[in-house]
Amino acid sequence: MGNSDQPRAVLVIPCSGVGKVHGLISREAVYRVTDDLLPGRADTVCLALLVTGDAETRRKVQETPCVTLDGCPKLCALKNVELSGGKIAEGIRVYDAMKRHRGATFGTATELSPEGWAVVDELAAEVAQIAKRPDTV
Amino acid sequence: MTDAFSKVGIISCSGEEIPEGTVARQAVRRVLEALRPQQTVTLCLPLFLAGEEGERRFAREHPTITVDGCSKLCAKRGTEKYSGQVSASLVVSDILGDRARGCRRSTRSEDKADEEAAWLVAERIASEVDALAGSEVGGEPNDSPAAGAARCACGGPSREGELRIKGKSVAIAGLPLIFQHLQKKGLAPGEDCGDVLLKTVRVYHFIDAHEEADYRSALVAAYQTHCQQQPQSWKA
């Protein structure tokens, strides 16, 4: 076991809901993690590819701890990773983070406002912390 | 039903792994918001593939265009598996060719290359919508109040409802659906339904504590109107 502060490999999977700002926030939070906070340690997979049964994608979610980010109560990302036999380290609901910014306007499903990006950064930081947990192996 | 039948469903792949997936998503949004807002709705692919019957039924009953980021064609294959043949299938990597190399996955630092790519694909989608509108829905523009609304990621149309709060107009995403749902559950209109309406709308729309009373009154009145317009369904 290495340095306990060192994040482990993790898959971060958003719902990417196309109809609302929540979906874009989930998607951008994932890129913040994979591209900026945990480059080389965190990765993502195409949720649609997973749901269509792609063997390689299923293998990835089964072998790597997954953090899902869902925009709506349907929890598409969480449920589909579970259905694929994936290892869920944490299921995050974007709405919970948005609630901490009462009264804010987050942008649209196309473009985020500064407050929308703030939620993205908060969610990404949360994922990075989860990646440091001992159970995220 | 004419409202529903005059629309084309556009399904974008989620494509989180590749820039083309983001281009597909952004292009679809541009069609919904700017190019063909009256004629199009979108369906959430992961939700569709996960078995949401509302989404699948829509795709069975309406012309559908899929927009895939890559040759794996998740959107097209998934749609055809559950809802029959799609009306048109577009692939971002085919449309953009080498241009896709300059695109990024995140929109945070979106630049000219990303913008141009999204618009290029959006124009192609709009062309397909026009072709379908001409052949399948007679090309008639739909000018109903909800016609421009995008279909939401939660399995239903995200049509907005409007409330007057302290003299200002406030848009509530999905309000007509919320009313329909509560009506089906048997919620009778009147002052007593205020708390239920508030609680439900709050899930989707932030309501400040000091505006609660205003929202409650406006929702009670709007729900009353809704039920008067469709009296059979709540009595049933």
Side-chain angles (χ1 to χ4, degrees):
Chain A
M1 189 168 168
N3 183 348
S4 60
D5 286 339
Q6 194 74 289
R8 309 298 183 102
V10 66
L11 280 179
V12 199
I13 303 168
C15 75
S16 286
V18 72
K20 288 187 179 141
V21 67
H22 307 57
L24 181 57
I25 288 175
S26 76
R27 188 181 183 98
E28 290 294 346
V30 166
Y31 294 142
R32 180 83 169 121
V33 174
T34 58
D35 299 353
D36 301 327
L37 301 185
L38 301 173
R41 294 179 181 277
D43 201 358
T44 190
V45 295
C46 289
L47 184 58
L49 193 57
L50 178 68
V51 179
T52 52
D54 180 71
E56 174 64 12
T57 309
R58 286 173 71 96
R59 187 188 59 76
K60 281 185 188 173
V61 302
Q62 287 166 0
E63 292 179 354
T64 315
C66 301
V67 178
T68 55
L69 288 125
D70 276 294
C72 85
K74 301 274 183 183
L75 303 178
C76 287
L78 175 72
K79 288 177 182 172
N80 282 306
V81 171
E82 282 179 341
L83 282 172
S84 301
K87 298 162 67 175
I88 298 284
E90 190 81 40
I92 295 175
R93 298 189 314 171
V94 170
Y95 179 69
D96 290 336
M98 293 169 80
K99 278 197 295 192
R100 296 195 287 265
H101 295 255
R102 288 190 184 280
T105 52
F106 301 101
T108 68
T110 308
E111 193 173 13
L112 298 181
S113 70
E115 285 158 321
W117 286 113
V119 175
V120 165
D121 292 344
E122 281 177 23
L123 287 166
E126 193 177 336
V127 173
Q129 283 302 313
I130 291 166
K132 291 181 181 174
R133 281 191 336 215
D135 62 316
T136 311
V137 291
Chain B
M1 293 301 285
T2 52
D3 167 54
F5 271 87
S6 61
K7 287 180 180 294
V8 175
I10 309 179
I11 303 181
S12 167
C13 81
S14 58
E16 290 91 349
E17 290 183 58
I18 55 173
E20 289 89 339
T22 299
V23 173
R25 177 194 174 93
Q26 293 298 90
V28 167
R29 295 298 320 173
R30 280 161 174 75
V31 174
L32 295 167
E33 292 169 0
L35 298 183
R36 299 294 181 273
Q38 307 298 320
Q39 295 100 329
T40 54
V41 296
T42 188
L43 308 176
C44 193
L45 183 63
L47 189 60
F48 178 94
L49 295 177
E52 181 71 17
E53 184 50 34
E55 310 277 290
R56 291 181 180 180
R57 192 185 323 114
F58 185 92
R60 276 197 297 271
E61 295 172 354
H62 299 76
T64 306
I65 299 170
T66 51
V67 185
D68 277 293
C70 73
S71 58
K72 288 179 179 168
L73 303 179
C74 293
K76 179 176 189 280
R77 288 192 295 118
T79 305
E80 294 195 332
K81 182 175 178 182
Y82 297 112
S83 300
Q85 194 172 8
V86 301
S87 302
S89 163
L90 298 174
V91 183
V92 171
S93 54
D94 291 347
I95 296 170
L96 296 182
D98 288 345
R99 274 175 183 261
R101 286 186 196 156
C103 297
R104 305 149 202 249
R105 298 193 303 184
S106 172
T107 62
R108 189 186 287 257
S109 49
E110 194 176 55
D111 66 9
K112 197 178 169 192
D114 300 294
E115 273 284 310
E116 285 179 356
W119 281 113
L120 199 65
V121 175
E123 292 286 355
R124 279 293 302 276
I125 300 169
S127 298
E128 296 292 344
V129 172
D130 292 344
L132 290 171
S135 63
E136 299 212 23
V137 294
E140 292 176 14
N142 186 327
D143 53 6
S144 69
R151 201 165 175 88
C152 100
C154 314
S158 64
R159 288 181 297 170
E160 287 183 346
E162 235 177 52
L163 297 177
R164 297 290 293 177
I165 305 293
K166 293 183 174 171
K168 287 184 181 173
S169 177
V170 177
I172 311 280
L175 189 62
L177 271 186
I178 292 170
F179 283 173
Q180 281 171 25
H181 172 70
L182 293 175
Q183 213 176 10
K184 272 187 189 171
K185 287 180 74 176
L187 182 71
E191 281 302 319
D192 292 345
C193 71
D195 287 343
V196 175
L197 290 170
L198 257 185
K199 186 180 170 189
T200 311
V201 167
R202 251 202 173 119
V203 174
Y204 306 97
H205 183 89
F206 173 73
I207 298 173
D208 208 313
H210 75 273
E211 291 184 323
E212 220 175 78
D214 301 295
Y215 270 91
R216 182 185 279 104
S217 303
L219 284 168
V220 166
Y223 187 61
Q224 176 86 39
T225 305
H226 173 86
C227 291
Q228 282 169 350
Q229 288 168 350
Q230 300 173 46
Q232 295 306 317
S233 49
W234 84 265
K235 285 176 183 170

